[in-house]
Each structure stands twice: as C-alpha cells, then as structure tokens.
Amino acid sequence: MKQVELVRMAIAACCLAFSSAIHAQLYHDSRMFSFENAKELQYIKVEKSAVTLSDKHFKNGKRSLEWSFQAGGVLKIDKDLQFEPRKTDGLDNYLSAFIVWVYNEAPLSGKSLVFQFCKQGKVCTSFPMNLNFKGWRGAWVCYERDMKGSAEPGMDEIKIKAPDTHSRLYIDHLITAIKVDPRYQTADEQLPFVNPKTTNDWLQVLKHSKLQPDIALTPVTEQQSKAMQQMEKRFRSLVYTPAKLYPKQMETLRDKFDAYKIREKKGNITGMPIWFVRHAEAYERMIPGWDKEILTRTGFEMNDYFKLMQQIAVAYNNATAEEDKKELQGMFLLMYEHITDQGVTWGSCWGNIHHYGYSLRSMYIAYFLMKDVLKAAGKLSEAVATMTWYSQLKQLYVKPTVNGMDMDTFNTASIGCMASILLMEDSPEKLQYVRSCSRWLDWGCRPAPGLMDSFKIDGSAYHHCNNYPAYAIGGLNGATQMIYILSGTEFAVGKLAHQTVKNALLAMRFYCNKLHFPLSMSGRHPDGKGHLTPMHYAYMALSGTPDGNKPVDVDMVASFMRLVEHTTLPKEKQLCRQFAAQGVRPEAAPQGNLSLGYACASIQRRGNWSAVVRGMSRYLWSSEHYTNENQFGRYLGYGSLFLMTAPQNQDVTPTTSGWQEAGFNWNRIPGVTSLHLPLVDLRAKIRNVDLHSGVEEMLFSDEAFAGGLSQQGSNGNFGMKLHEHDKYDGSFRARKSYHFFNDVIVCLGSDIENNDKQHDTETTIFQLAAPDAQVQAYWKAYQGDGKTWLDHLGTGYYSPNSATFTGLVSQQSRDNDTDKPNEGMWASLYISHGKAPRNGSYEYAVLPNTTPERLKTFETTPTYTVIQRNRDAHIVRSDATKSLSYVLFETPKGLLPGGPLLQTDTTCLAMIRQVGKEKMVLTVAQPDLSLYQGPTDDIYKDGKRVERSIYSRPWIKNPSREIPVTVTLLGKWNFKQDDNIRLIDRTNKTTIIEVRCKDGLSYDIELNKL
C-alpha cells in the first residue's frame, strides 16, 4: 500500500511539474498585458488608487494586476493600443476588439467600471462594465460596433474609471486591440450592449434569461409527479450505467484532479485557469501558425474539465466504500467551486461563447448525477441557476411560432434543458418547465421551412443550410433521447413531431450503407469515417409508435437490429436480445429508390449496394470548405455518383466500396463532370466574405433545376443544370441526368462547355483504390473491350462513347485537411471532352453486382434506349422495366417523343411505367424548391457573380412555394384526385392533369384507361 502511495505521489509530482510549465503566461505579444512581471507596471499610472502584482487571483500565468481604489479612482495604461479600423474592401470583415478579464471578490450591485480609450488625451470611445458579480468575468468588446464614440487609429491610452466606492479588483489577460471574427462577441449581465443585432442561437443567453412563462403555474398532481420521476429515471439510465469502481480508476481520477492544482484557503479558491476553446480566437491574428485548438492542447480547456467532473460523478455513484465517496465528493465540490469562480455561473458569457454547448455537455450530466451532493453542500440552487442560464432554459417559456430547431440546440441544449429541469425539486415551477419543454421539443421536431434546421418533410436532416448527417447524428442524439424520456407520459411530443424524426432516421439508414455516410454527404469531412448511430433507432423503438398506440415501434426495432447485427457493444447486444425475445427480426437491407429534394440527392438500392447521386442548385451548396478542412472536394456536388458495395455477407463500408484517401484524385470523383486541374488550382480559396459567415466557402449554382424523382419508392431519376460559380470558372456548364431502372443506372450528359483551353474536361465513370495485392493483380491483368468494363467489386460499366481506362497506376495526391502528400494505387475510367469543349456529351450505364456474361449480353442488347439527349431534355426508355424517364430541363416547345407523355407546361421530372395494357403509373416532380421565384438573387460585379455566404440570403427561411405542373397524356385516363392532383381536361384522345408540386416531392398517379 505504501508503494502504491509513493507511485501516486511521484505521478502527481510529474503532473504538477507539467502544470507549472504551462502555468506561465500563455502567449507574449506587445498588445497583451499578462501582469507577470514588474516591467508592465511602467505603462500604468493611477489616481486615488494603488496597484501591485498579485498571485491571489490569476487568469493568465501566475499573477494578475491587483487594483485597490477609492471612489472615483482611475487606472491609466499609456501605450499604443495598435487599433486597426475595419477594412472596407470586403476582403476582411474582422473587427478590432478590446479583451480583458476582471475578478471581483464581492458583487457591487448598481456599480460599474468605465473603460475609456483615448488619443492624445481626447476620449475617443468608451464602454461600461457592470460589477454585479463575484469571480472572473471576460469582456470582448468591439471598438467600432459596441462602444460609444468613434475609435481612431493612433489611440494611445486606456483609462479605467472606478465607481463611486472603494473596493478592489483584479485585472488579467488584457489585450489592447486585436482583430476578431465579429459574429461571436457575447452580451451578458456585465456587458448587455455587446453585439446587439446578433441572431446567432448561441449568443441569445442574456435575452432568453429575461423571458417570462406563458403557461400558468398549477399544483403537481400525483400522476404528474410519477411521470416526472419516470423521466428522471429514464434520463439517469441514459447518462449513467452502474459499474464497479476499481482502485486503479481512483488513482487515475486523483492524478487528473491533481493536475488542476485546485486549492481553497480561507474562502479563496485558486487553480489552473480554465479556458473555453473559442477563447483561442483572441490569438488568430496574433500567433503565426494559429489554429483553433491551441487552448485545448494546453490540457485546461473547459470540455476536458467537465468530462473529469462527469467521471468523478460517475465514480461517486459507483463507489461503495464511504472513504472513496467522501474523497470523490471533495474533489467534485472543489472543481465545482473553481469553475464557478472561473466564471461558469449565472450571468456570465466569458466574452465569446459561441458553440459553447459542446464544451458544457458533461457539466449538465455531472451536476445532475451529483444532485444530492450539491444539495447537501448548499449549492443546489446555484447549480440549477447555472444550468438554467447556459441551457437557455427560459427560452422554453415562449411558444414557438415556426417549426424546427437548430441542430446544435438538439445536440447540446436539449440535454442541458432536461438536466436542468430534472435537477429541480418537484414544484409547480418544475411542472411549468416540463410543459414548456414538451411544447418546445414538439415544435422543434416538426418539419422546418426553407433551409432552416433540423428536420425536413422528405427526411433530410439539416445544418448549415443543407442535409448534413455529420451534424445530424449529434442532433438526433438529443431529439431521440428527449422523445424517449417524455414518451408514454402526458408530456410526450405530438404525432407529427415524432413521425418527422422517425422519417429522418429511416431516410438516413437508406442513404447510409451500412452505417457510413456517402462521401458526397459528408460535408467538410469527406473522409469515409462518418457514420450513423444505431442507438438512435433503439431510443425511438422504445418511445413507441408516433400515434402513441403501441409502446414499441417495430419499424425502429427492425432497423436497429439490422444496423447492430455485428456489434460488439454490450448495450446494443443487450437490446438486441431484448427485442429478439419479443419476436422481432432484423429488417432486410432497404431496397428501392429515395429522392431527397432538400438534399439535392437520389439514392437507388438493390441487394446490398447503394448508389447515391448528389448535385447543387441555387438553393443548395455543392461542398463546404473550412480552413484546413476539405481543401480539394469542390466537385462533390457536381452530379457525383457514389456506389457503395461489398461482397455478400460482408458489411458495406467506404473501404469495401473501393475508397481510400491515400492517392485519391479529387478531380475524378465518380459521376462528376469537371475540369481536371492541378491540386494547387483545385484547392479551395477560403475567405471571410461577409458578416454572416466565417472563414469558409460554400458555393452554389445560379440554376434552380436540380433534384430527383422517386416512383413509388422503386425507381426514379435525377437531373441538374450544372453551372460552376464565377469564383472559379463561370463558363463551365453542363446538363446531367441519371435514370434508375432496377439494377441499371443510365448516366447522360449534354451541353458540356467551358472556355478553359489549358485543362481537360472529363466525366469520371469510376475511380477505385487497389489497396492490396489481390486487387492490384486483378487490375494488372484486366483489359476492357472498349465498351464494357467489370471492376473487381463486380460492378459493370457500359459506354457507347470512347472512354479512357488508366489501368493500375500509382497516384500522388494530398490529404484533404492537412495538405500532406499521400500516395496510393488506383484504377480509373473516364470520358474526355477535351479542352474548352462546346456541346460536349456522354452516355454510360452502371450495372452493380453483375456478371461477365450479363455484361456481355448488355453490350450486345442494352436494356435501355436514349430517346433524346440535348439541352432541352434527357429522355430514356427502359424495356426491362417498361418505363420512360423524362428529365425536362426546358419547357417543351412541342410534343415530346417516345410515349404517352405528350407535353408539359414547364420544366419538370417525370416517369411513366406501364403496368398493363389498361394501366400505368405516372410520377411527376418539380426539382425547383422555389424558395424564391424569378431570376437568381446573385450580385454581379464586372459581369461575374460575387461570392456571398448562404447565411446572408434573405430567402433561406422561406417555405417552398407551390409550382403547378400541367401534363398532357395521350389517351383517356381515369385517376384518383386529391388536393395536389386534379383533372384539367379529358377527351377521347388526351388527358390533362395538374400536379401542384412543392418541396421537391414526387407525386404518384395511378392511371386506368377509360
């Protein structure tokens, strides 16, 4: 035992040594005062005051400036502030901010400091800071937006004026002026005037804290009390799984705790300063090679701190020895006191708080699990207030007026709100919050309008104004857990809300294969790593059916059981056994076709394979690029076709589908028509384009026509007018379509053009990795016949056009994030359109999971016929499925060729399938989401579109507008009419039908001949 204690002490000493090393000043810069040495005092003068360096409280390094003042005292800092005014060229929208941390030992109600910024003795600008707080508070105040007066270059003095009382404050981490992203400075109770026009959800903390309830207080009934107890039990089961506490775990917790060096002496608490990850943005224009994780790497970022608090809380709940419980309780309460002293408490927003929910997720759980400990220590009310503030709980008081909720809110705040409520003692106020929460979640889960988060009528799951599975999995974590917690009680969400989330999950398990996101739907992380979360399906299964009639949703059970078929996770295995005992079997792999208008995507599935097509429009961006994230994926939304497959009885993954990042040629994304550029030219040129966005690129087209059609969930088509943004090459255009006929995908292109005389334009049929000797041997020996090719995964390709097969080649590329060189073995097939093409075109077909014999037969006798392929329309007939597929890019000027669809009065997608001599199915879709009408809202300069962020567009909140499509059919037909489908005219020769299209949805019409 003594040896163990010696080892623990040695490890703790190492931790302390490490801590001491980074206990020093974080960074050095001429604009920053850290008050670590007396040299900084040479710039300071005082009136009715005294200053000294103190180690009693500190935020940066080991010391701060202690300022003791009498009423009317003044502290002056004489130094060039290095203020830089905002640039007006539109290339840099950052604003100069003054940043400071202030410590107050006791609140001074009704009192404030006044900061003045002077030039040669003249006050140029100023702001007040309320002193109604105890502990540390951060201030990020922009000179040109938040302060009174007018900031000027050359300002050379800061005056800090004390209130009309004597007191003492501590000042640290003072930055005179630094350029920062102007979107994220945050108002709080100390600085309520900061960033007043922001509508950012994260920054509404102060505003929401002032809201009042519209649901009346009522006594808690016995049934409601039981319901709330059940909710607390369910929530606890989600965040805590009982387990044995081992001595080694205690040792690890002690070591981690010791690293923070938290000490309490005579009511004064000290320890390592705890930073919020976004505080790193103060140094973006200060530190060469800056990145946003610099504070995280110090080991003293808020997220890690709260994770440790959660680990201690879990250990406390697992502990059986009274000695362990007492020690863990002590650790927890010290950490609670320290983080509260650091400013994580009611009223404080740390200067910059955006996306803070990700760092506080563990705080909510930790405080919830230690409810009894906090209550016994007299801290429960304070903890509830802290959680209420940061979860923005009072926003629940106001009845929503628009469907939807920010995906980040589902991901972070929903858990925080629920934990905050359940931390309360039962009372009418708690019941009021539960009712408000139920209503808030119900509206939040409903289909949102326009490009707003979170869930769409078609199953898309939104963030950043697009279908974004990587963010959706976090949001679904909150949404599904909240639905589960409230289910079976009077507080359950309504049928529409429940069904909408269920639809999003059903769609996700359709476009994912088996678990993984398609590369084209991976946002700014197209790395093949993103995947869905099976437990979301389990939570929804346990929440019952949307109508509330059944306690278990069998659809969700079957989906969950398929997704976890080969799981090794104990919780998933246990649930599988539980569901199997109820007689439920895993669903088969989803089959059919799914069109997602709000994702500009179409998915075809047969067997174990899936084919995912994705485009862009004037509403939906092609790809998202951040600094050092997705540098080369520009073409992901240029009509890509990603095929995901695997050998039978093997789970499908990006790897089994022929993907790896090493050596991938980002010019040759399958299905894409693109300019083949050097990587240096393909790299995204990322910048901050307006005050609505950050340093990012999310370009989209000026064409409204892009999207898909799904006929009875079986087959479908997709079409898009491709037009590259003028930031790169506005002369680049094409018309692309895909036609899905069971296990044949017909791919057409026409009107391919651009003015680039230096680089080839190509359409890529496939690009497949050859990661091992077996695959490499296949490609070394392979020779196509010039019209058909069969890859090593069993996918066949047919093209009547001349195509270039690379054979097995070594490709050099670069990492899409780090830009580091990489290399791999690959085989590719593409169609070249030459340089500066005019009226270029292509035709090929993809046959997944085929055989050499079938491919040979297909070459001789294709099962499809291209009836038309030009600027106006791509029309294809499939003999195998007795179908006609229409992609009508332009309104037909005359009769359409090839079949019973004679005419339409506007652009649209259509498909007709002959069921028998007297029956057929017509499906119509309008891919234009019609979020606004008329010409594109682009702004032009010198004849070219100006890059603008999607967030700056006023129409992104608009609901989809109805576009009537009138179709004329050959023959006299009868059909069932409804609100969206009605008969216009019928004669012996023709039938005219109006379809009221909206949301990019497909409308099926079963026709019977009269």
Side-chain angles (χ1 to χ4, degrees):
M1 187 69 187
K2 187 174 182 181
Q3 271 187 319
V4 172
E5 182 62 23
L6 288 172
V7 170
R8 190 186 76 80
M9 291 174 64
I11 294 173
C14 291
C15 290
L16 289 174
F18 172 73
S19 299
S20 298
I22 53 178
H23 208 320
Q25 179 180 340
L26 281 172
Y27 307 106
H28 296 270
D29 189 85
S30 60
R31 290 160 288 192
M32 180 187 289
F33 285 85
S34 289
F35 304 111
E36 291 301 293
N37 60 70
K39 289 182 179 179
E40 292 180 303
L41 295 178
Q42 65 181 307
Y43 301 103
I44 296 176
K45 298 177 183 178
V46 295
E47 299 174 7
K48 298 183 181 180
S49 311
V51 293
T52 186
L53 300 183
S54 171
D55 61 3
K56 188 175 182 182
H57 306 286
F58 45 84
K59 188 64 180 175
N60 186 13
K62 297 180 180 179
R63 298 180 182 86
S64 64
L65 181 70
E66 180 181 322
W67 177 32
S68 302
F69 52 82
Q70 301 298 316
V74 179
L75 187 155
K76 300 179 182 179
I77 301 176
D78 292 326
K79 193 177 185 183
D80 180 7
L81 306 190
Q82 300 185 50
F83 164 77
E84 299 175 68
R86 179 189 173 191
K87 294 182 179 180
T88 58
D89 58 8
L91 299 178
D92 184 359
N93 293 298
Y94 278 32
L95 294 177
S96 284
F98 172 74
I99 296 175
V100 69
W101 283 82
V102 178
Y103 190 93
N104 196 0
E105 293 181 322
L108 297 174
S109 180
K111 306 297 182 183
S112 62
L113 290 178
V114 175
F115 290 83
Q116 295 180 336
F117 304 87
C118 308
K119 181 178 181 179
Q120 298 177 1
K122 180 189 75 172
V123 177
C124 298
T125 189
S126 65
F127 73 87
M129 181 177 184
N130 295 330
L131 294 174
N132 54 348
F133 65 91
K134 177 183 182 299
W136 283 107
R137 293 296 185 273
W140 291 41
V141 187
C142 288
Y143 283 92
E144 296 165 280
R145 182 194 61 207
D146 301 326
M147 300 186 189
K148 291 183 179 179
S150 180
E152 297 180 16
M155 290 186 293
D156 54 12
E157 182 184 43
I158 299 173
K159 290 182 181 180
I160 308 176
K161 292 194 169 184
D164 57 352
T165 187
H166 66 88
S167 190
R168 179 170 58 240
L169 295 171
Y170 298 81
I171 300 171
D172 207 353
H173 194 268
L174 186 152
I175 301 177
T176 59
I178 192 71
K179 283 287 188 78
V180 296
D181 187 328
R183 295 176 296 164
Y184 298 130
Q185 297 71 52
T186 313
D188 59 15
E189 290 196 340
Q190 288 70 60
L191 303 156
F193 52 85
V194 167
N195 203 358
K197 295 182 180 180
T198 183
T199 57
N200 185 292
D201 289 334
W202 295 109
L203 311 189
Q204 305 304 310
V205 186
L206 178 64
K207 177 183 175 182
H208 288 157
S209 73
K210 301 179 183 299
L211 297 175
Q212 297 299 315
D214 63 355
I215 294 177
L217 291 171
T218 59
V220 181
T221 67
E222 183 179 355
Q223 184 179 1
Q224 290 166 340
S225 179
K226 288 181 179 179
M228 289 190 288
Q229 289 173 20
Q230 183 183 44
M231 289 166 55
E232 183 168 348
K233 183 179 179 181
R234 286 174 173 171
F235 185 82
R236 186 177 179 84
S237 73
L238 293 175
V239 301
Y240 168 67
T241 301
K244 183 177 180 180
L245 178 64
Y246 291 95
K248 188 174 181 180
Q249 291 173 279
M250 285 295 295
E251 292 297 316
T252 300
L253 293 174
R254 291 186 188 109
D255 294 340
K256 290 181 178 180
F257 173 78
D258 287 345
Y260 288 105
K261 301 173 68 173
I262 303 172
R263 305 286 185 271
E264 186 171 16
K265 186 176 181 181
K266 296 181 180 179
N268 181 57
I269 193 156
T270 59
M272 292 299 299
I274 308 302
W275 296 97
F276 170 50
V277 59
R278 301 292 180 169
H279 289 151
E281 292 168 11
Y283 317 115
E284 183 178 357
R285 299 290 177 90
M286 183 185 295
I287 301 171
W290 173 90
D291 71 79
K292 62 186 179 182
E293 302 298 333
I294 57 173
L295 290 179
T296 303
R297 287 194 295 272
T298 67
F300 299 100
E301 198 274 326
M302 209 173 282
N303 189 31
D304 290 335
Y305 190 90
F306 283 123
K307 282 181 179 178
L308 178 58
M309 290 192 77
Q310 182 180 346
Q311 291 166 10
I312 290 172
V314 169
Y316 175 86
N317 280 269
N318 286 336
T320 54
E322 194 59 36
E323 181 182 350
D324 288 340
K325 292 186 83 70
K326 185 176 180 181
E327 182 180 0
L328 291 163
Q329 176 180 313
M331 289 183 192
F332 185 88
L333 289 174
L334 275 174
M335 292 190 76
Y336 172 83
E337 292 284 3
H338 180 51
I339 199 63
T340 301
D341 193 64
Q342 289 286 296
V344 182
T345 186
W346 175 279
S348 171
C349 284
W350 327 321
N352 175 345
I353 202 172
H354 76 94
H355 289 81
Y356 68 92
Y358 291 97
S359 290
L360 296 193
R361 283 182 290 193
S362 292
M363 179 193 78
Y364 301 124
I365 296 170
Y367 288 12
F368 170 81
L369 291 175
M370 297 297 271
K371 179 177 180 178
D372 293 341
V373 169
L374 290 166
K375 183 177 180 180
K379 301 292 182 182
L380 184 60
S381 295
E382 181 184 62
V384 168
T386 295
M387 292 171 66
T388 298
W389 171 262
Y390 293 112
S391 67
Q392 302 190 43
L393 185 62
K394 290 191 175 183
Q395 70 178 303
L396 278 56
Y397 278 158
V398 178
K399 182 179 180 179
T401 57
V402 179
N403 291 346
M405 182 190 296
D406 187 87
M407 194 66 84
D408 283 334
T409 301
F410 269 122
N411 190 4
T412 60
S414 63
I415 299 292
C417 287
M418 187 61 70
S420 302
I421 294 169
L422 297 178
L423 196 65
M424 301 173 185
E425 304 284 12
D426 281 3
S427 64
E429 289 76 16
K430 180 176 180 178
L431 176 60
Q432 184 183 59
Y433 271 124
V434 172
R435 285 173 165 165
S436 300
C437 184
S438 171
R439 179 180 64 185
W440 177 66
L441 289 167
D442 179 74
W443 280 73
C445 291
R446 297 176 187 178
L451 305 186
M452 296 294 95
D453 292 7
S454 285
F455 308 112
K456 299 298 178 190
I457 191 171
D458 63 359
S460 298
Y462 254 56
H463 199 49
H464 292 188
C465 295
N466 212 317
N467 183 56
Y468 213 134
Y471 279 103
I473 55 171
L476 283 165
N477 197 53
T480 58
Q481 289 185 1
M482 295 306 103
I483 290 172
Y484 165 63
I485 289 168
L486 297 173
S487 66
T489 73
E490 67 177 81
F491 313 115
V493 301
K495 180 179 179 180
L496 175 61
H498 192 136
Q499 185 68 54
T500 300
V501 175
K502 177 178 177 177
N503 289 346
L505 287 169
L506 290 174
M508 184 175 283
R509 69 67 158 112
F510 197 96
Y511 59 70
C512 290
N513 198 353
K514 177 178 186 180
L515 303 176
H516 288 81
F517 309 147
L519 215 65
S520 58
M521 289 188 183
S522 298
R524 65 181 185 274
H525 300 292
D527 53 16
K529 299 176 183 177
H531 56 83
L532 57 72
T533 302
M535 280 302 299
H536 297 158
Y537 297 79
Y539 296 141
M540 292 298 284
L542 296 170
S543 300
T545 52
D547 58 13
N549 291 334
K550 295 181 181 179
V552 175
D553 189 325
V554 175
D555 295 338
M556 292 285 97
V557 173
S559 295
F560 170 75
M561 294 180 74
R562 179 181 69 87
L563 294 170
V564 299
E565 194 173 10
H566 301 130
T567 186
T568 59
L569 299 178
K571 190 170 186 178
E572 291 179 349
K573 292 171 72 174
Q574 185 270 326
L575 281 169
C576 264
R577 290 192 294 269
Q578 176 182 325
F579 291 141
Q582 298 173 10
V584 185
R585 305 295 300 164
E587 68 172 351
Q591 305 291 291
N593 181 277
L594 177 66
S595 173
L596 298 174
Y598 281 99
C600 201
S602 284
I603 304 94
Q604 183 84 347
R605 294 192 66 144
R606 295 292 190 274
N608 71 342
W609 62 263
S610 61
V612 180
V613 172
R614 184 173 167 270
M616 64 172 170
S617 70
R618 72 180 190 178
Y619 314 112
L620 301 175
W621 43 261
S622 169
S623 53
E624 181 184 61
H625 311 265
Y626 280 18
T627 303
N628 298 326
E629 293 180 336
N630 192 25
Q631 297 190 64
F632 306 111
R634 182 193 306 176
Y635 296 140
L636 287 165
Y638 281 41
S640 57
L641 170 63
F642 278 100
L643 188 69
M644 297 187 72
T645 187
Q648 291 300 316
N649 302 316
Q650 186 175 337
D651 283 348
V652 176
T653 70
T655 300
T656 67
S657 305
W659 154 260
Q660 66 180 29
E661 186 161 359
F664 183 72
N665 186 340
W666 291 95
N667 286 287
R668 289 192 178 141
I669 294 173
V672 158
T673 302
S674 62
L675 283 160
H676 196 112
L677 302 172
L679 282 179
V680 66
D681 295 331
L682 186 60
R683 181 185 288 112
K685 296 169 178 59
I686 304 166
R687 62 189 183 89
N688 175 231
V689 297
D690 54 40
L691 296 176
H692 300 274
S693 60
V695 182
E696 60 202 28
E697 179 183 286
M698 298 150 76
L699 300 175
F700 40 104
S701 170
D702 57 358
E703 298 284 3
F705 191 96
L709 168 151
S710 181
Q711 184 172 76
Q712 296 183 319
S714 179
N715 288 312
N717 61 32
F718 179 94
M720 69 176 291
K721 296 179 182 178
L722 174 61
H723 186 198
E724 186 165 278
H725 195 279
D726 290 302
K727 178 177 181 178
Y728 295 114
D729 190 340
S731 72
F732 180 29
R733 295 177 180 269
R735 304 217 161 172
K736 297 172 66 71
S737 69
Y738 293 91
H739 309 261
F740 304 101
F741 305 116
N742 290 342
D743 55 358
V744 174
I745 305 168
V746 179
C747 314
L748 300 180
S750 67
D751 301 271
I752 300 167
E753 63 180 46
N754 60 65
N755 298 330
D756 191 332
K757 297 180 180 180
Q758 295 184 343
H759 306 105
D760 283 337
T761 300
E762 300 173 349
T763 297
T764 300
I765 298 175
F766 69 74
Q767 183 186 187
L768 295 166
D772 56 47
Q774 183 178 356
V775 179
Q776 291 171 17
Y778 178 90
W779 286 118
K780 283 179 182 178
Y782 186 80
Q783 291 183 347
D785 64 9
K787 283 193 174 182
T788 60
W789 297 263
L790 183 67
D791 69 31
H792 66 286
L793 300 171
T795 302
Y797 307 87
Y798 161 77
S799 177
N801 304 134
S802 175
T804 301
F805 175 55
T806 65
L808 181 68
V809 294
S810 175
Q811 292 183 175
Q812 288 73 43
S813 188
R814 305 190 80 84
D815 186 280
N816 203 20
D817 293 342
T818 67
D819 202 28
K820 291 181 179 179
N822 57 39
E823 185 176 0
M825 301 299 292
W826 291 80
S828 301
L829 181 69
Y830 64 92
I831 297 170
S832 176
H833 307 291
K835 295 178 174 63
R838 285 290 177 270
N839 200 31
S841 64
Y842 64 83
E843 174 189 333
Y844 67 94
V846 181
L847 290 74
N849 193 24
T850 193
T851 63
E853 295 75 21
R854 184 184 174 216
L855 189 58
K856 191 65 178 177
T857 301
F858 191 90
E859 178 183 0
T860 305
T861 312
T863 59
Y864 73 92
T865 303
V866 176
I867 295 174
Q868 183 172 329
R869 183 190 58 186
N870 58 22
R871 182 179 183 275
D872 295 331
H874 292 179
I875 304 173
V876 182
R877 182 176 67 240
S878 168
D879 296 327
T881 61
K882 297 181 180 179
S883 301
L884 275 160
S885 175
Y886 300 82
V887 174
L888 305 180
F889 297 110
E890 303 295 336
T891 302
K893 297 174 183 177
L895 296 180
L896 292 167
L901 180 59
L902 297 178
Q903 203 165 29
T904 68
D905 69 339
T906 186
T907 63
C908 68
L909 304 172
M911 181 170 273
I912 292 177
R913 179 170 61 89
Q914 199 74 38
V915 180
K917 290 182 179 180
E918 306 295 322
K919 185 175 182 180
M920 66 182 186
V921 177
L922 166 68
T923 304
V924 177
Q926 172 53 259
D928 182 355
L929 291 175
S930 191
L931 302 183
Y932 68 96
Q933 295 176 321
T936 175
D937 76 333
D938 278 317
I939 294 173
Y940 292 83
K941 183 178 181 181
D942 299 327
K944 294 185 177 182
R945 285 168 287 165
V946 176
E947 182 182 6
R948 296 157 63 212
S949 78
I950 184 64
Y951 308 114
S952 70
R953 310 300 173 109
W955 44 262
I956 59 176
K957 296 182 180 181
N958 292 348
S960 176
R961 299 181 185 182
E962 185 179 279
I963 299 180
V965 177
T966 302
V967 299
T968 301
L969 298 172
L970 178 65
K972 190 176 183 180
W973 299 91
N974 189 33
F975 60 93
K976 183 180 179 181
Q977 300 186 58
D978 58 30
D979 292 340
N980 298 313
I981 302 167
R982 69 187 185 99
L983 178 67
I984 299 299
D985 188 36
R986 183 163 51 207
T987 70
N988 288 330
K989 292 184 178 181
T990 61
T991 303
I992 302 175
I993 304 171
E994 182 187 70
V995 184
R996 297 175 179 175
C997 297
K998 189 180 177 185
D999 294 304
L1001 298 176
S1002 299
Y1003 299 84
D1004 295 316
I1005 309 167
E1006 294 188 359
L1007 299 156
N1008 294 286
K1009 201 154 193 176
L1010 292 174

